[in-house]
Every structure is written in structure tokens, then in C-alpha cells.
């Protein structure tokens, strides 16, 4: 069991308050802190100390994947820790983006390798995601129904949008939405400034109404303060606008177009950093590849937790992703078995404190406070946890033929 030293990603959209406050550091931080990475991705592996030597979780897993991951997990995922746990702190909107599935990621990464490594693919893995809201979290997630999207655009009374509205009324849902997205993202360069200005002005007027679309219009106005003149502001109106309350979660499958607008959340995803962007960003935009990868048929479901049978109060946030599953345990001072009982696990303490100890002889307990985390290798086996607070545990997803009630640990309560 290893205490982790997470990596902070200082992207421009991050907060100077949220991560520092979570970890008990002085606020505000010197600059924006956007993501807290707890995992083994090459772009930001968490640090740890093993046998008195400073190393990284990536190196530890690479050196002995069968002991760290377990034989089944190591063979399923090629010796790679399959998940990455993050805390996101979005003070400003993230880009409109999409992530590839497994086949697309492998093909795209291989094509880049044969072309000298140039391109948007960082690795050859897919990137489905689970987002758990720690504060109110505003998102644009998946496409609206095409008729609803047409009503939203029509309500702006912007003459230039009439052809796009016509596309939304033609063909099947998926084809109509794809055509409308393409039309907006490929708008003639010489006419883009006028279109965005007209849409934002109309959104500002419509945001003051009491209609059901007022919140979506208001989101465009707020995003325009950070990304003036960006075509993504117009394209965002094709997406479903939601606000997650603390404790609510959603699953973002590969191919689902989305943008995270504002809030702090826990994100669990496949161990990848593949992102195709279309707007609302200063980073590289790749509209042709995003349009190729985006699937308007993808739905973004809410994830409803299920209670895990056994001692304590543990909930499973299960998703149709082979790479990950998320558990939340509400600690009440009792000593209980840690769930799950096997496999590679990253435990993260959101608030309060938690003491974890593997039941193997000679194991040393690890104590977690707010904003801290630890890695439990499969070789640690079953473990006990006690404390008061909220503990999340990220682990590998169950095999498709095993999506039943999670197995319970067999350790005695001592």
C-alpha cells in the first residue's frame, strides 16, 4: 500500500482555490490548478516511495504488472493500469471535445506513428469517462433531440442560422445533427465573427426569459466571456445543457460530444489522454477528426449508485466500461472491509480521515486526510478501513460476463 503524490495539471481553465482548499494548502494557489491526477499515465504518473526509493506508479506497475494489477487485469490490459482517477476544478469552460473508442484510438495512433508521430493522439487507448459532481457542476453532454435543437436556434431569430435549422429538420436524427454540427464548425471564415456576435447578442436577450431554454442561452453568454468570437459558442447550442448536483454522476461514452462548463468533480476514466477538440480552447483544434469520431447517437446517461451488500455504507457507480468502476464508502467510525477486496485500487479521501491496512502479515497502515490518496496493489489482497468521512475507491471494471452484485470481502472485522 503506497501513499500517492498526485500530479497537478496547471491548465488555464483551472481554479486557484479548489484543489488547494481540498488538500489543505494556502489559497489562492500561485496559478490555475485544473486537474489532480492519481494514476499511471505517462503524461503525469503519480509519485510514491517503494522500499525507501522515490519512484512513480507507472514504473512500479511496469516493473511487475502481475503483482501490482493481478494476473487477470494484467493480461486483459497488456500490463497497464487501466484507469486514471482525477479531480477536475473547472473555473472556466473546457473545450468542446470528444474521445475515441478502442478501435479509433489504435488506428489513429498507428497512423500517426507511420507519419512521424504528428497528430492529436497521445496514446492508443479509448477514453470513456465517469464524472461525479463534488459541487454543482455545469456540463454540455451529448446532443439534444434535433427538434429541440432547431427550436433553440430558431428562438434566437438569427437569419444566418436558417440553413442550419433546415438541416436539423431534414433526415434522421443522427444525420441531421451531424450535418448541423459540420455546418457550424466549417462556417466560412469571413462570416464567423458576425455569426458569433449575432448569436451571443441574441442569447444575452433570451437568457433573461423564463422559458426552458434560458439556462442554455445563459451558458453561451458566460462562456463567451472566456472565448469571445469562438464558433464553439454557437455549436454548444446543439448539446444538452445540464447541471449536476453534488453526488450526481454521469457516464460519457466514447464518441459523445461534450464540454464541462464549471464546477469541481471527481473524474474516473480509462487510462488515456486522447482528446479531439473543436472550440472553446486555446489548444489545438482538429475539426475534421472530431467530426469523424463524434457519434450523435451516443447518449450520456446519469449513473445511479447501487448499495453494496455487507458491513458499512458502500455504493457502486457502475458503468459499461471495462477499464474502471467507482465505489464510495461513507465512513462512520466503524472498522470495515474495504470494497473491493482485490485488484488494483486507488483510494481517495474526499473529507474527514481514513486509515487503511492490508490484512497480510507485516502490512503497514496508511492514513489518509482530505485530498490524499493511496494505491493498493492486487498483491495486498483484502484490506480494512476505518475513520470518519468519505472515501472513494477506483478500480478495474468487472468483466462483461460478471456484471452482478459485487463480491464481498471475506476478512473478519477485527
Amino acid at each position: 500500500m503506497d501513499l500517492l503524490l498526485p500530479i497537478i495539471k496547471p491548465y488555464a481553465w483551472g481554479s486557484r482555490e479548489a484543489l488547494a482548499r481540498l488538500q489543505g494548502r494556502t489559497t489562492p494557489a500561485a496559478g490555475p490548478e485544473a486537474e489532480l491526477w492519481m494514476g499511471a499515465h505517462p503524461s503525469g504518473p503519480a509519485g510514491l516511495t517503494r522500499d525507501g526509493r522515490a519512484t512513480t506508479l507507472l514504473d512500479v506497475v511496469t516493473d511487475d504488472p502481475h503483482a501490482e494489477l493481478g494476473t487477470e487485469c494484467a493480461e486483459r490490459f497488456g500490463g497497464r493500469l487501466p484507469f486514471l482517477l482525477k479531480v477536475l476544478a473547472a473555473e472556466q469552460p473546457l473545450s468542446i471535445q470528444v474521445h475515441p473508442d478502442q478501435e479509433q484510438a489504435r488506428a489513429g495512433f498507428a497512423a500517426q506513428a507511420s507519419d512521424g508521430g504528428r497528430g492529436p493522439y497521445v496514446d492508443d487507448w479509448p477514453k470513456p469517462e465517469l464524472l461525479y459532481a463534488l459541487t454543482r457542476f455545469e456540463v454540455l453532454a451529448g446532443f439534444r433531440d434535433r427538434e429541440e435543437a432547431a427550436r433553440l436556434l430558431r428562438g434566437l431569430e438569427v437569419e444566418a442560422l436558417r440553413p442550419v435549422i433546415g438541416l436539423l429538420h431534414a433526415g434522421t436524427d443522427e444525420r441531421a445533427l451531424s450535418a448541423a454540427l459540420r455546418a457550424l464548425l466549417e462556417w466560412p471564415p469571413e462570416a464567423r465573427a458576425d455569426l458569433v456576435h449575432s448569436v451571443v447578442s441574441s442569447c444575452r436577450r433570451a437568457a433573461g426569459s423564463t422559458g426552458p431554454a434560458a439556462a442554455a442561452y445563459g451558458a453561451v453568454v458566460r462562456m463567451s466571456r472566456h472565448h469571445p468570437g469562438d464558433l464553439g459558442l454557437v455549436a454548444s447550442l446543439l448539446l444538452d445543457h445540464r447541471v449536476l448536483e453534488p453526488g450526481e454522476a454521469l457516464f460519457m461514452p466514447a464518441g459523445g460530444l461534450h464540454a464541462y462548463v464549471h464546477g469541481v468533480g471527481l473524474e474516473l476514466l480509462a487510462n488515456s489522454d486522447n482528446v479531439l477538440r473543436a472550440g472553446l480552447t486555446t489548444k489545438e483544434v482538429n475539426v475534421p477528426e472530431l467530426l469523424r469520431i463524434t457519434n450523435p447517437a451516443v447518449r450520456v446517461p446519469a449513473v445511479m449508485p447501487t448499495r453494496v451488500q455487507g458491513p458499512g455504507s458502500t455504493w457502486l457507480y457502475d458503468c459499461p466500461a471495462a477499464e474502471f468502476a467507482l465505489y464510495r464508502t461513507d465512513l462512520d467510525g466503524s472498522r470495515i472491509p474495504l470494497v473491493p477486496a482485490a485488484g488494483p485500487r486507488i483510494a481517495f479521501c474526499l473529507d474527514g480521515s481514513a486509515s487503511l491496512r492490508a490484512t497480510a502479515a507485516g502490512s503497514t497502515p496508511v492514513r489518509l486526510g482530505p485530498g490524499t490518496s493511496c494505491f493498493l496493489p492486487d498483491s495486498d489482497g483484502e484490506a480494512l478501513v476505518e475513520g470518519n468521512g468519505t472515501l472513494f475507491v477506483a478500480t478495474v471494471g468487472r468483466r462483461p460476463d460478471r456484471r452482478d452484485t459485487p463480491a464481498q470481502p471475506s476478512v473478519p472485522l477485527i
Side-chain angles (χ1 to χ4, degrees):
M1 196 179 304
D2 307 284
L3 193 65
L4 292 179
L5 299 174
I7 299 297
I8 292 177
K9 295 289 186 175
Y11 304 139
W13 48 263
S15 167
R16 296 182 63 193
E17 302 280 347
L19 296 184
R21 189 163 51 246
L22 174 67
Q23 295 185 313
R25 294 184 279 114
T26 300
T27 59
E33 298 178 333
E35 298 182 351
L36 188 73
W37 284 29
M38 296 164 278
H41 192 277
S43 296
L48 57 84
T49 300
R50 180 72 67 90
D51 300 325
R53 181 176 66 90
T55 183
T56 70
L57 184 54
L58 175 60
D59 290 337
V60 164
V61 171
T62 301
D63 288 346
D64 193 353
H66 286 266
E68 304 299 327
L69 306 179
T71 297
E72 181 186 47
C73 180
E75 292 178 351
R76 283 174 69 193
F77 298 104
R80 181 170 180 161
L81 183 68
F83 57 87
L84 173 61
L85 184 64
K86 300 179 181 179
V87 178
L88 300 185
E91 188 71 21
Q92 300 178 18
L94 281 67
S95 59
I96 294 181
Q97 59 188 257
V98 71
H99 309 303
D101 62 22
Q102 182 68 80
E103 182 179 345
Q104 292 164 340
R106 286 175 176 169
F109 190 71
Q112 280 183 199
S114 65
D115 190 33
R118 295 185 299 274
Y121 290 92
V122 177
D123 50 60
D124 62 353
W125 269 47
K127 196 186 176 190
E129 302 172 344
L130 167 71
L131 177 68
Y132 177 101
L134 299 176
T135 67
R136 295 187 87 233
F137 206 116
E138 186 178 12
V139 301
L140 300 168
F143 280 87
R144 297 177 181 275
D145 172 83
R146 67 187 176 100
E147 293 292 339
E148 183 185 358
R151 284 194 297 272
L152 219 68
L153 295 185
R154 192 164 50 245
L156 294 176
E157 300 179 347
V158 173
E159 181 67 21
L161 289 176
R162 287 184 66 184
V164 180
I165 296 169
L167 290 172
L168 289 168
H169 286 308
T172 63
D173 282 356
E174 289 76 21
R175 288 188 178 182
L177 288 165
S178 290
L181 178 66
R182 180 179 296 276
L184 290 174
L185 294 181
E186 294 180 347
W187 205 263
E190 67 277 8
R192 291 179 180 180
D194 287 344
L195 174 68
V196 176
H197 175 75
S198 296
V199 167
V200 172
S201 297
S202 292
C203 283
R204 186 173 291 110
R205 168 186 52 78
S209 70
T210 57
Y217 294 141
V220 171
V221 175
R222 292 193 303 278
M223 291 188 294
S224 72
R225 298 168 188 156
H226 305 288
H227 301 285
D230 196 308
L231 275 177
L233 297 168
V234 188
S236 73
L237 291 167
L238 300 178
L239 301 180
D240 191 13
H241 177 265
R242 308 189 203 178
V243 178
L244 303 178
E245 296 297 332
E248 294 182 338
L250 58 77
F251 174 61
M252 179 59 64
L257 193 65
H258 62 285
Y260 296 149
V261 179
H262 187 271
V264 181
L266 192 67
E267 186 181 44
L268 181 57
L269 58 151
N271 190 12
S272 171
D273 200 26
N274 279 324
V275 183
L276 288 308
R277 301 178 179 89
L280 305 183
T281 182
T282 58
K283 295 182 179 180
E284 181 182 355
V285 170
N286 192 322
V287 170
E289 188 67 4
L290 176 135
L291 290 171
R292 189 180 74 84
I293 296 300
T294 297
N295 181 1
V298 167
R299 294 294 174 258
V300 183
V303 181
M304 305 307 296
T306 56
R307 181 76 177 263
V308 177
Q309 297 178 0
S313 180
T314 296
W315 300 82
L316 168 63
Y317 293 79
D318 199 14
C319 298
E323 296 85 1
F324 59 79
L326 182 69
Y327 293 81
R328 188 197 81 225
T329 297
D330 301 323
L331 300 171
D332 63 1
S334 304
R335 182 178 296 171
I336 58 174
L338 182 71
V339 179
R345 292 148 288 175
I346 292 178
F348 169 73
C349 182
L350 175 65
D351 53 55
S353 64
S355 179
L356 297 90
R357 180 173 65 82
T359 58
S363 63
T364 302
V366 168
R367 185 173 180 84
L368 300 180
T372 60
S373 56
C374 68
F375 174 67
L376 293 87
D378 179 74
S379 58
D380 270 0
E382 298 171 334
L384 296 170
V385 59
E386 63 179 322
N388 288 278
T390 307
L391 184 75
F392 289 92
V393 178
T395 191
V396 64
R398 288 174 287 148
R399 296 180 68 94
D401 58 347
R402 297 184 183 178
R403 291 206 170 272
D404 48 8
T405 302
Q408 296 305 302
S410 59
V411 292
L413 298 181
I414 59 174

mmCIF file with all atom_site columns, all heavy atoms in Angstrom, residues 187-203:
data_model
loop_
_atom_site.group_PDB
_atom_site.id
_atom_site.type_symbol
_atom_site.label_atom_id
_atom_site.label_alt_id
_atom_site.label_comp_id
_atom_site.label_asym_id
_atom_site.label_entity_id
_atom_site.label_seq_id
_atom_site.pdbx_PDB_ins_code
_atom_site.Cartn_x
_atom_site.Cartn_y
_atom_site.Cartn_z
_atom_site.occupancy
_atom_site.B_iso_or_equiv
_atom_site.pdbx_formal_charge
_atom_site.auth_seq_id
_atom_site.auth_comp_id
_atom_site.auth_asym_id
_atom_site.auth_atom_id
_atom_site.pdbx_PDB_model_num
ATOM 1   N N   . TRP A 1 187 ? -18.099 26.917 -40.772 1.00 0.00 ? 187 TRP A N   1
ATOM 2   C CA  . TRP A 1 187 ? -18.659 28.193 -41.229 1.00 0.00 ? 187 TRP A CA  1
ATOM 3   C C   . TRP A 1 187 ? -17.581 28.996 -41.954 1.00 0.00 ? 187 TRP A C   1
ATOM 4   O O   . TRP A 1 187 ? -16.412 29.002 -41.526 1.00 0.00 ? 187 TRP A O   1
ATOM 5   C CB  . TRP A 1 187 ? -19.163 28.982 -40.025 1.00 0.00 ? 187 TRP A CB  1
ATOM 6   C CG  . TRP A 1 187 ? -20.239 29.967 -40.355 1.00 0.00 ? 187 TRP A CG  1
ATOM 7   C CD1 . TRP A 1 187 ? -20.075 31.303 -40.589 1.00 0.00 ? 187 TRP A CD1 1
ATOM 8   C CD2 . TRP A 1 187 ? -21.643 29.701 -40.459 1.00 0.00 ? 187 TRP A CD2 1
ATOM 9   N NE1 . TRP A 1 187 ? -21.295 31.897 -40.839 1.00 0.00 ? 187 TRP A NE1 1
ATOM 10  C CE2 . TRP A 1 187 ? -22.274 30.932 -40.770 1.00 0.00 ? 187 TRP A CE2 1
ATOM 11  C CE3 . TRP A 1 187 ? -22.428 28.560 -40.332 1.00 0.00 ? 187 TRP A CE3 1
ATOM 12  C CZ2 . TRP A 1 187 ? -23.651 31.054 -40.944 1.00 0.00 ? 187 TRP A CZ2 1
ATOM 13  C CZ3 . TRP A 1 187 ? -23.792 28.661 -40.503 1.00 0.00 ? 187 TRP A CZ3 1
ATOM 14  C CH2 . TRP A 1 187 ? -24.391 29.892 -40.815 1.00 0.00 ? 187 TRP A CH2 1
ATOM 15  N N   . PRO A 1 188 ? -17.911 29.676 -43.048 1.00 0.00 ? 188 PRO A N   1
ATOM 16  C CA  . PRO A 1 188 ? -16.898 30.449 -43.782 1.00 0.00 ? 188 PRO A CA  1
ATOM 17  C C   . PRO A 1 188 ? -16.144 31.405 -42.869 1.00 0.00 ? 188 PRO A C   1
ATOM 18  O O   . PRO A 1 188 ? -16.760 32.164 -42.102 1.00 0.00 ? 188 PRO A O   1
ATOM 19  C CB  . PRO A 1 188 ? -17.738 31.209 -44.824 1.00 0.00 ? 188 PRO A CB  1
ATOM 20  C CG  . PRO A 1 188 ? -18.954 30.356 -45.021 1.00 0.00 ? 188 PRO A CG  1
ATOM 21  C CD  . PRO A 1 188 ? -19.238 29.747 -43.677 1.00 0.00 ? 188 PRO A CD  1
ATOM 22  N N   . PRO A 1 189 ? -14.828 31.391 -42.927 1.00 0.00 ? 189 PRO A N   1
ATOM 23  C CA  . PRO A 1 189 ? -14.036 32.228 -42.015 1.00 0.00 ? 189 PRO A CA  1
ATOM 24  C C   . PRO A 1 189 ? -14.414 33.700 -42.030 1.00 0.00 ? 189 PRO A C   1
ATOM 25  O O   . PRO A 1 189 ? -14.430 34.355 -40.980 1.00 0.00 ? 189 PRO A O   1
ATOM 26  C CB  . PRO A 1 189 ? -12.601 32.001 -42.508 1.00 0.00 ? 189 PRO A CB  1
ATOM 27  C CG  . PRO A 1 189 ? -12.627 30.648 -43.130 1.00 0.00 ? 189 PRO A CG  1
ATOM 28  C CD  . PRO A 1 189 ? -13.981 30.528 -43.769 1.00 0.00 ? 189 PRO A CD  1
ATOM 29  N N   . GLU A 1 190 ? -14.723 34.230 -43.220 1.00 0.00 ? 190 GLU A N   1
ATOM 30  C CA  . GLU A 1 190 ? -15.011 35.658 -43.310 1.00 0.00 ? 190 GLU A CA  1
ATOM 31  C C   . GLU A 1 190 ? -16.333 36.038 -42.656 1.00 0.00 ? 190 GLU A C   1
ATOM 32  O O   . GLU A 1 190 ? -16.575 37.229 -42.388 1.00 0.00 ? 190 GLU A O   1
ATOM 33  C CB  . GLU A 1 190 ? -15.018 36.098 -44.777 1.00 0.00 ? 190 GLU A CB  1
ATOM 34  C CG  . GLU A 1 190 ? -16.154 35.522 -45.628 1.00 0.00 ? 190 GLU A CG  1
ATOM 35  C CD  . GLU A 1 190 ? -15.869 34.132 -46.158 1.00 0.00 ? 190 GLU A CD  1
ATOM 36  O OE1 . GLU A 1 190 ? -14.851 33.526 -45.750 1.00 0.00 ? 190 GLU A OE1 1
ATOM 37  O OE2 . GLU A 1 190 ? -16.675 33.643 -46.974 1.00 0.00 ? 190 GLU A OE2 1
ATOM 38  N N   . ALA A 1 191 ? -17.195 35.040 -42.371 1.00 0.00 ? 191 ALA A N   1
ATOM 39  C CA  . ALA A 1 191 ? -18.505 35.340 -41.793 1.00 0.00 ? 191 ALA A CA  1
ATOM 40  C C   . ALA A 1 191 ? -18.623 34.888 -40.332 1.00 0.00 ? 191 ALA A C   1
ATOM 41  O O   . ALA A 1 191 ? -19.689 35.059 -39.722 1.00 0.00 ? 191 ALA A O   1
ATOM 42  C CB  . ALA A 1 191 ? -19.604 34.673 -42.630 1.00 0.00 ? 191 ALA A CB  1
ATOM 43  N N   . ARG A 1 192 ? -17.571 34.330 -39.788 1.00 0.00 ? 192 ARG A N   1
ATOM 44  C CA  . ARG A 1 192 ? -17.661 33.757 -38.437 1.00 0.00 ? 192 ARG A CA  1
ATOM 45  C C   . ARG A 1 192 ? -17.885 34.818 -37.363 1.00 0.00 ? 192 ARG A C   1
ATOM 46  O O   . ARG A 1 192 ? -18.696 34.643 -36.455 1.00 0.00 ? 192 ARG A O   1
ATOM 47  C CB  . ARG A 1 192 ? -16.393 32.951 -38.124 1.00 0.00 ? 192 ARG A CB  1
ATOM 48  C CG  . ARG A 1 192 ? -16.280 31.690 -38.949 1.00 0.00 ? 192 ARG A CG  1
ATOM 49  C CD  . ARG A 1 192 ? -15.009 30.912 -38.661 1.00 0.00 ? 192 ARG A CD  1
ATOM 50  N NE  . ARG A 1 192 ? -14.954 29.710 -39.496 1.00 0.00 ? 192 ARG A NE  1
ATOM 51  C CZ  . ARG A 1 192 ? -13.967 28.826 -39.465 1.00 0.00 ? 192 ARG A CZ  1
ATOM 52  N NH1 . ARG A 1 192 ? -12.932 29.015 -38.634 1.00 0.00 ? 192 ARG A NH1 1
ATOM 53  N NH2 . ARG A 1 192 ? -13.996 27.772 -40.258 1.00 0.00 ? 192 ARG A NH2 1
ATOM 54  N N   . ALA A 1 193 ? -17.159 35.894 -37.421 1.00 0.00 ? 193 ALA A N   1
ATOM 55  C CA  . ALA A 1 193 ? -17.268 36.925 -36.382 1.00 0.00 ? 193 ALA A CA  1
ATOM 56  C C   . ALA A 1 193 ? -18.696 37.466 -36.302 1.00 0.00 ? 193 ALA A C   1
ATOM 57  O O   . ALA A 1 193 ? -19.244 37.637 -35.199 1.00 0.00 ? 193 ALA A O   1
ATOM 58  C CB  . ALA A 1 193 ? -16.277 38.053 -36.646 1.00 0.00 ? 193 ALA A CB  1
ATOM 59  N N   . ASP A 1 194 ? -19.301 37.728 -37.459 1.00 0.00 ? 194 ASP A N   1
ATOM 60  C CA  . ASP A 1 194 ? -20.671 38.249 -37.460 1.00 0.00 ? 194 ASP A CA  1
ATOM 61  C C   . ASP A 1 194 ? -21.653 37.226 -36.895 1.00 0.00 ? 194 ASP A C   1
ATOM 62  O O   . ASP A 1 194 ? -22.568 37.594 -36.138 1.00 0.00 ? 194 ASP A O   1
ATOM 63  C CB  . ASP A 1 194 ? -21.086 38.625 -38.884 1.00 0.00 ? 194 ASP A CB  1
ATOM 64  C CG  . ASP A 1 194 ? -20.410 39.898 -39.374 1.00 0.00 ? 194 ASP A CG  1
ATOM 65  O OD1 . ASP A 1 194 ? -19.876 40.648 -38.522 1.00 0.00 ? 194 ASP A OD1 1
ATOM 66  O OD2 . ASP A 1 194 ? -20.397 40.133 -40.595 1.00 0.00 ? 194 ASP A OD2 1
ATOM 67  N N   . LEU A 1 195 ? -21.478 35.947 -37.263 1.00 0.00 ? 195 LEU A N   1
ATOM 68  C CA  . LEU A 1 195 ? -22.379 34.918 -36.748 1.00 0.00 ? 195 LEU A CA  1
ATOM 69  C C   . LEU A 1 195 ? -22.290 34.823 -35.231 1.00 0.00 ? 195 LEU A C   1
ATOM 70  O O   . LEU A 1 195 ? -23.320 34.834 -34.531 1.00 0.00 ? 195 LEU A O   1
ATOM 71  C CB  . LEU A 1 195 ? -22.049 33.559 -37.373 1.00 0.00 ? 195 LEU A CB  1
ATOM 72  C CG  . LEU A 1 195 ? -22.845 32.384 -36.793 1.00 0.00 ? 195 LEU A CG  1
ATOM 73  C CD1 . LEU A 1 195 ? -24.319 32.485 -37.175 1.00 0.00 ? 195 LEU A CD1 1
ATOM 74  C CD2 . LEU A 1 195 ? -22.259 31.042 -37.239 1.00 0.00 ? 195 LEU A CD2 1
ATOM 75  N N   . VAL A 1 196 ? -21.063 34.715 -34.708 1.00 0.00 ? 196 VAL A N   1
ATOM 76  C CA  . VAL A 1 196 ? -20.904 34.561 -33.260 1.00 0.00 ? 196 VAL A CA  1
ATOM 77  C C   . VAL A 1 196 ? -21.435 35.777 -32.528 1.00 0.00 ? 196 VAL A C   1
ATOM 78  O O   . VAL A 1 196 ? -22.119 35.661 -31.501 1.00 0.00 ? 196 VAL A O   1
ATOM 79  C CB  . VAL A 1 196 ? -19.428 34.293 -32.902 1.00 0.00 ? 196 VAL A CB  1
ATOM 80  C CG1 . VAL A 1 196 ? -19.250 34.227 -31.384 1.00 0.00 ? 196 VAL A CG1 1
ATOM 81  C CG2 . VAL A 1 196 ? -18.944 32.994 -33.546 1.00 0.00 ? 196 VAL A CG2 1
ATOM 82  N N   . HIS A 1 197 ? -21.153 36.963 -33.040 1.00 0.00 ? 197 HIS A N   1
ATOM 83  C CA  . HIS A 1 197 ? -21.644 38.186 -32.400 1.00 0.00 ? 197 HIS A CA  1
ATOM 84  C C   . HIS A 1 197 ? -23.175 38.196 -32.353 1.00 0.00 ? 197 HIS A C   1
ATOM 85  O O   . HIS A 1 197 ? -23.771 38.516 -31.304 1.00 0.00 ? 197 HIS A O   1
ATOM 86  C CB  . HIS A 1 197 ? -21.140 39.418 -33.150 1.00 0.00 ? 197 HIS A CB  1
ATOM 87  C CG  . HIS A 1 197 ? -21.696 40.711 -32.635 1.00 0.00 ? 197 HIS A CG  1
ATOM 88  N ND1 . HIS A 1 197 ? -21.263 41.292 -31.452 1.00 0.00 ? 197 HIS A ND1 1
ATOM 89  C CD2 . HIS A 1 197 ? -22.681 41.516 -33.134 1.00 0.00 ? 197 HIS A CD2 1
ATOM 90  C CE1 . HIS A 1 197 ? -21.950 42.410 -31.252 1.00 0.00 ? 197 HIS A CE1 1
ATOM 91  N NE2 . HIS A 1 197 ? -22.806 42.571 -32.248 1.00 0.00 ? 197 HIS A NE2 1
ATOM 92  N N   . SER A 1 198 ? -23.803 37.835 -33.458 1.00 0.00 ? 198 SER A N   1
ATOM 93  C CA  . SER A 1 198 ? -25.274 37.838 -33.503 1.00 0.00 ? 198 SER A CA  1
ATOM 94  C C   . SER A 1 198 ? -25.853 36.810 -32.541 1.00 0.00 ? 198 SER A C   1
ATOM 95  O O   . SER A 1 198 ? -26.844 37.085 -31.836 1.00 0.00 ? 198 SER A O   1
ATOM 96  C CB  . SER A 1 198 ? -25.747 37.540 -34.923 1.00 0.00 ? 198 SER A CB  1
ATOM 97  O OG  . SER A 1 198 ? -25.345 38.554 -35.810 1.00 0.00 ? 198 SER A OG  1
ATOM 98  N N   . VAL A 1 199 ? -25.259 35.625 -32.498 1.00 0.00 ? 199 VAL A N   1
ATOM 99  C CA  . VAL A 1 199 ? -25.778 34.567 -31.626 1.00 0.00 ? 199 VAL A CA  1
ATOM 100 C C   . VAL A 1 199 ? -25.608 34.938 -30.157 1.00 0.00 ? 199 VAL A C   1
ATOM 101 O O   . VAL A 1 199 ? -26.537 34.780 -29.348 1.00 0.00 ? 199 VAL A O   1
ATOM 102 C CB  . VAL A 1 199 ? -25.084 33.230 -31.945 1.00 0.00 ? 199 VAL A CB  1
ATOM 103 C CG1 . VAL A 1 199 ? -25.368 32.193 -30.849 1.00 0.00 ? 199 VAL A CG1 1
ATOM 104 C CG2 . VAL A 1 199 ? -25.538 32.699 -33.296 1.00 0.00 ? 199 VAL A CG2 1
ATOM 105 N N   . VAL A 1 200 ? -24.442 35.437 -29.783 1.00 0.00 ? 200 VAL A N   1
ATOM 106 C CA  . VAL A 1 200 ? -24.221 35.797 -28.383 1.00 0.00 ? 200 VAL A CA  1
ATOM 107 C C   . VAL A 1 200 ? -25.141 36.932 -27.965 1.00 0.00 ? 200 VAL A C   1
ATOM 108 O O   . VAL A 1 200 ? -25.707 36.927 -26.861 1.00 0.00 ? 200 VAL A O   1
ATOM 109 C CB  . VAL A 1 200 ? -22.739 36.159 -28.139 1.00 0.00 ? 200 VAL A CB  1
ATOM 110 C CG1 . VAL A 1 200 ? -22.537 36.717 -26.732 1.00 0.00 ? 200 VAL A CG1 1
ATOM 111 C CG2 . VAL A 1 200 ? -21.842 34.935 -28.353 1.00 0.00 ? 200 VAL A CG2 1
ATOM 112 N N   . SER A 1 201 ? -25.327 37.913 -28.832 1.00 0.00 ? 201 SER A N   1
ATOM 113 C CA  . SER A 1 201 ? -26.238 39.025 -28.520 1.00 0.00 ? 201 SER A CA  1
ATOM 114 C C   . SER A 1 201 ? -27.664 38.524 -28.312 1.00 0.00 ? 201 SER A C   1
ATOM 115 O O   . SER A 1 201 ? -28.360 38.948 -27.370 1.00 0.00 ? 201 SER A O   1
ATOM 116 C CB  . SER A 1 201 ? -26.207 40.061 -29.650 1.00 0.00 ? 201 SER A CB  1
ATOM 117 O OG  . SER A 1 201 ? -24.926 40.641 -29.773 1.00 0.00 ? 201 SER A OG  1
ATOM 118 N N   . SER A 1 202 ? -28.101 37.616 -29.170 1.00 0.00 ? 202 SER A N   1
ATOM 119 C CA  . SER A 1 202 ? -29.448 37.068 -29.032 1.00 0.00 ? 202 SER A CA  1
ATOM 120 C C   . SER A 1 202 ? -29.560 36.197 -27.789 1.00 0.00 ? 202 SER A C   1
ATOM 121 O O   . SER A 1 202 ? -30.595 36.198 -27.113 1.00 0.00 ? 202 SER A O   1
ATOM 122 C CB  . SER A 1 202 ? -29.805 36.256 -30.280 1.00 0.00 ? 202 SER A CB  1
ATOM 123 O OG  . SER A 1 202 ? -29.935 37.091 -31.405 1.00 0.00 ? 202 SER A OG  1
ATOM 124 N N   . CYS A 1 203 ? -28.512 35.460 -27.476 1.00 0.00 ? 203 CYS A N   1
ATOM 125 C CA  . CYS A 1 203 ? -28.527 34.641 -26.257 1.00 0.00 ? 203 CYS A CA  1
ATOM 126 C C   . CYS A 1 203 ? -28.618 35.523 -25.013 1.00 0.00 ? 203 CYS A C   1
ATOM 127 O O   . CYS A 1 203 ? -29.302 35.184 -24.043 1.00 0.00 ? 203 CYS A O   1
ATOM 128 C CB  . CYS A 1 203 ? -27.272 33.763 -26.184 1.00 0.00 ? 203 CYS A CB  1
ATOM 129 S SG  . CYS A 1 203 ? -27.298 32.308 -27.248 1.00 0.00 ? 203 CYS A SG  1
#
